[in-house]
Amino acid sequence: MKRFKLKLIIVLSIVLVIFFIGISMYTSYTKIENTVEEAIANQNLEAAKSIAKAIDLETYERFLKEQNRDEDYWTIRHYLNDAREKLGVLYVYTLEVDNPTTSKALIVGYPENKDNPNDFPIGEACTVPETQVKLAYEEGKQFVTKILEDTKYGHEYMTVGTPIMNGEGEIISYLSIDISTDTLDEIKGSVMNSNMVLLVLNGLFVIIFIISLFLLQKWYQKEVGTTEYTYQKEIKTLIASVSSLRHDYINHIQILYGFLQIGEVDQARNYAESLSKDIQTIESLKCNLDHPGLAILLQTKKLTCQNQEIDIQITVDDNPFDNIKTIDLINILSNIIDNAIDATMELPEEQRKITVSCKADELFYTFSIKNTGRKLPDINQIFKQGYSTKKVEEGRVRGQGLFIVKETLNKYNGSITLDTTKEKETIAIVKIPTK
């Protein structure tokens, strides 16, 4: 029976690993795909703006009056075709938007067809969706469509459009560009190949993440036994923080790539510089300690403080602190630091400060937690079960934290002292014999 359960667990673990790797890679692929489409759309919008500004307005306005395939028509058509060839897109053309539902193609930039002199009729209905037509008609804004299908000409493409202004700043037409899905797919494939390493790393991250969870769970069961709640809470907080940092990292990479793809180097540089603070925050979370339980506890408390705008400083001696059980050490420090966080939260952000010190010598482990906050009202009563200086909240038991700390310290012949050293500063000092 045990072997069957073990096999079942192994099979389920493998399935979960494959599932999470698939989800991770699919998510990354989708993000890259969306970023590429957005970058290409922005790039072609900029190109459309340049073409619209450079168009011969006098010639185009004469064409708009008659709308015949005359000399003015062919002058504009040759100009648009030249732009099409230089951009390598499907079509470059002008649009008439005179109602909120449909648009009409006026001049399509394409070489003259001797066999079909009436190709691309003036005023032919266009496939631009009503949503984008309405945006152009009512607000005079540029637009970008999703992938469209033209059954008449047999193309799939994405369309961008921007207004053509006359000398008085009035919109007289729209300049549109159709980008073939073949072009989009080619660029996506190139980007995907260059980002394959990132996708593989995402898969490896999931594998390492799951293995780490398994190893932490095994170690945790050995250390904690039946008293799992306190420790599990700290692990979950750390995992959530790491997952959040990883998610933000991927988003930042995609945004930076999007800027670079459309040639916005200055915006990419500014965005990268804005990440400096976040990178420094991540670097400041490093906590290489010999005691894994203490490392996890201090990591989670530091993350909590940073989220609450609390300035926290932590110093730890190079010592395994192995003469006290992990669950007991976490119970002691977690309750005291949580009380310190609650106390500082009553102050303005600029006054919130906590200092944590973990030292060891031949005689004692000494843990010092100092925080800003209001003066303690009655130090003699504070260790009694049920006594609390905090406000009563419905459904929440108060007055257990320091009582648990005191009871735990009694097992090790340890001691705790609390003192208000200044008007708004309290220090808790825990001493535990090392032998």
Side-chain angles (χ1 to χ4, degrees):
M1 188 65 180
K2 287 185 177 179
R3 288 184 178 179
F4 174 76
K5 288 184 177 179
L6 180 60
K7 289 181 179 179
L8 182 61
I9 291 173
I10 292 174
V11 171
L12 288 175
S13 298
I14 293 173
V15 171
L16 284 174
V17 168
I18 295 173
F19 173 76
F20 282 118
I21 289 175
I23 291 295
S24 177
M25 295 188 73
Y26 174 76
T27 301
S28 298
Y29 174 83
T30 303
K31 287 181 179 296
I32 292 173
E33 189 176 54
N34 292 337
T35 301
V36 169
E37 286 189 9
E38 183 179 351
I40 294 173
N42 289 334
Q43 185 180 32
N44 281 279
L45 268 176
E46 292 301 316
K49 290 178 184 177
S50 298
I51 296 169
K53 286 181 180 179
I55 198 169
D56 187 336
L57 283 176
E58 185 177 347
T59 301
Y60 188 61
E61 286 182 308
R62 283 201 304 269
F63 160 77
L64 289 177
K65 291 179 181 179
E66 302 296 333
Q67 296 196 12
N68 293 321
R69 298 169 81 94
D70 52 17
E71 184 179 348
D72 292 331
Y73 168 88
W74 287 108
T75 299
I76 299 299
R77 178 162 167 168
H78 291 321
Y79 166 71
L80 297 179
N81 181 57
D82 182 60
R84 180 189 67 85
E85 291 178 344
K86 289 179 179 177
L87 290 174
V89 295
L90 197 59
Y91 293 114
V92 177
Y93 54 100
T94 63
L95 274 180
E96 181 179 56
V97 182
D98 59 359
N99 66 80
T101 57
T102 58
S103 60
K104 300 173 184 177
L106 297 178
I107 305 178
V108 179
Y110 216 74
E112 183 178 356
N113 187 346
K114 302 293 185 180
D115 297 329
N116 183 14
N118 294 317
D119 63 338
F120 305 109
I122 298 171
E124 183 177 20
C126 196
T127 56
V128 177
E130 182 177 338
T131 302
Q132 281 74 33
V133 174
K134 186 175 182 181
L135 182 69
Y137 179 76
E138 294 183 352
E139 301 182 36
K141 293 184 177 180
Q142 61 189 25
F143 61 82
V144 176
T145 72
K146 305 233 181 245
I147 302 299
L148 306 174
E149 183 177 1
D150 190 335
T151 55
K152 179 177 179 179
Y153 294 98
H155 297 300
E156 288 187 352
Y157 51 86
M158 176 174 64
T159 301
V160 301
T162 192
I164 299 175
M165 306 280 196
N166 63 13
E168 288 72 39
E170 299 171 340
I171 298 175
I172 58 174
S173 189
Y174 265 77
L175 192 291
S176 290
I177 297 176
D178 290 349
I179 307 102
S180 171
T181 53
D182 293 338
T183 302
L184 291 172
D185 292 340
E186 183 180 347
I187 296 175
K188 287 177 186 177
S190 176
V191 174
M192 286 302 301
N193 289 335
S194 64
N195 282 272
M196 190 57 64
V197 174
L198 177 61
L199 294 178
V200 172
L201 287 176
N202 285 339
L204 290 175
F205 177 87
V206 175
I207 294 174
I208 294 170
F209 182 70
I210 293 174
I211 292 174
S212 299
L213 281 180
F214 177 76
L215 294 176
L216 282 172
Q217 183 71 12
K218 294 288 288 183
W219 173 77
Y220 148 79
Q221 288 176 346
K222 180 180 177 181
E223 285 287 325
V224 179
T226 58
T227 56
E228 65 179 46
Y229 174 74
T230 302
Y231 198 31
Q232 191 176 47
K233 181 179 68 174
E234 304 301 336
I235 292 177
K236 286 181 178 179
T237 302
L238 181 59
I239 289 172
S241 300
V242 171
S243 298
S244 176
L245 291 174
R246 179 248 183 191
H247 180 267
D248 290 342
Y249 163 77
I250 291 177
N251 285 337
H252 293 321
I253 290 295
Q254 303 307 324
I255 292 171
L256 282 172
Y257 180 82
F259 280 138
L260 293 174
Q261 181 68 22
I262 63 175
E264 295 292 344
V265 178
D266 290 337
Q267 290 191 42
R269 185 184 297 110
N270 293 337
Y271 191 85
E273 290 174 356
S274 72
L275 296 179
S276 175
K277 183 178 179 181
D278 290 338
I279 294 171
Q280 292 171 4
T281 297
I282 295 170
E283 286 294 318
S284 71
L285 295 177
K286 292 180 179 178
C287 195
N288 301 318
L289 304 180
D290 292 334
H291 194 300
L294 181 59
I296 290 174
L297 173 70
L298 295 179
Q299 290 272 29
T300 55
K301 298 309 178 188
K302 189 162 189 176
L303 285 167
T304 300
C305 286
Q306 288 182 340
N307 290 335
Q308 300 293 341
E309 302 295 335
I310 299 172
D311 178 15
I312 183 169
Q313 302 296 324
I314 299 175
T315 56
V316 183
D317 280 0
D318 185 12
N319 190 285
F321 300 94
D322 52 5
N323 285 346
I324 179 172
K325 289 183 179 180
T326 298
I327 186 62
D328 291 331
L329 180 59
I330 289 176
N331 267 331
I332 292 168
L333 293 181
S334 179
N335 279 296
I336 297 175
I337 296 175
D338 284 346
N339 283 345
I341 291 173
D342 288 342
T344 58
M345 289 302 295
E346 297 178 2
L347 299 176
E349 289 181 7
E350 65 274 8
Q351 297 179 23
R352 300 173 187 173
K353 294 182 180 180
I354 295 176
T355 303
V356 178
S357 172
C358 305
K359 297 182 178 181
D361 56 30
E362 296 180 356
L363 299 177
F364 293 99
Y365 297 142
T366 304
F367 304 96
S368 173
I369 297 92
K370 181 166 62 176
N371 65 272
T372 54
R374 59 189 176 86
K375 182 177 180 180
L376 296 175
D378 191 343
I379 294 177
N380 295 325
Q381 298 288 324
I382 205 165
F383 294 105
K384 292 183 178 181
Q385 187 174 16
Y387 181 85
S388 176
T389 61
K390 303 182 182 76
K391 294 180 180 180
V392 177
E393 295 182 21
E394 186 176 353
R396 185 171 181 180
V397 179
R398 292 289 195 184
Q400 301 295 318
L402 290 179
F403 173 77
I404 291 172
V405 170
K406 189 70 173 177
E407 290 294 305
T408 305
L409 287 173
N410 289 339
K411 295 194 302 183
Y412 297 90
N413 294 318
S415 64
I416 178 172
T417 58
L418 284 170
D419 190 20
T420 301
T421 57
K422 297 179 181 179
E423 182 180 353
K424 288 187 178 181
E425 190 173 274
T426 297
I427 184 169
I429 299 177
V430 172
K431 284 185 173 289
I432 299 173
T434 56
K435 298 180 182 178

